[in-house]
């Protein structure tokens, strides 16, 4: 894996992108922070249906999913209690 500063990468960006598409990730360094350039293959719903469905299901049911009804009721109850105290 190659590592470049932004200044080093700018003049050879097209070549680096070609290398990334060929399977060689590149690390860019900017202000002591790292960014990884790697190949990205978007899913095709017609051919990647099961994989896409699994990814979407994980997104909906994952830790970042919306609050459940039970969670919302608990929050509303807490707010009501706090409002009554005032």
């Amino acid at each position: 894996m190659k590592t470049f500063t932004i200044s080093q990468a700018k003049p050879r960006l097209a070549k680096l992108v070609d290398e990334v598409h060929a399977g060689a990730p590149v690390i860019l360094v900017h202000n002591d922070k790292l960014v990884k350039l790697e190949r990205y293959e978007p899913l095709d719903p017609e051919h990647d249906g099961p994989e896409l469905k699994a990814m979407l299901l994980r997104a909906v049911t994952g830790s970042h999913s919306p609050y459940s009804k039970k969670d919302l009721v608990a929050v509303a109850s807490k707010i009501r209690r706090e409002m009554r105290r005032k």
Side-chain angles (χ1 to χ4, degrees):
M1 189 174 323
K2 296 179 181 179
T3 303
F4 297 94
T5 65
I6 298 295
S7 298
Q8 293 169 326
K10 279 183 183 180
R12 53 175 81 130
L13 188 57
K15 185 176 188 255
L16 292 175
V17 169
D18 288 340
E19 291 180 24
V20 168
H21 277 287
V26 173
I27 300 294
L28 298 179
V29 181
H30 182 64
N31 296 333
D32 297 326
K33 294 180 182 174
L34 303 177
V35 174
K36 182 179 181 183
L37 298 179
E38 61 184 348
R39 185 177 177 163
Y40 175 72
E41 292 290 335
L43 293 175
D44 180 353
E46 289 184 24
H47 296 97
D48 300 314
E51 184 179 352
L52 180 59
K53 184 177 178 180
M55 288 174 67
L56 291 171
L57 186 58
R58 281 193 304 271
V60 170
T61 61
S63 60
H64 55 282
S65 63
Y67 289 109
S68 68
K69 184 175 179 179
K70 181 180 175 182
D71 294 331
L72 292 173
V73 168
V75 169
S77 296
K78 180 179 177 182
I79 291 170
R80 281 190 214 110
R81 285 192 303 271
E82 290 174 3
M83 296 292 283
R84 286 183 198 136
R85 289 183 192 147
K86 293 181 179 183

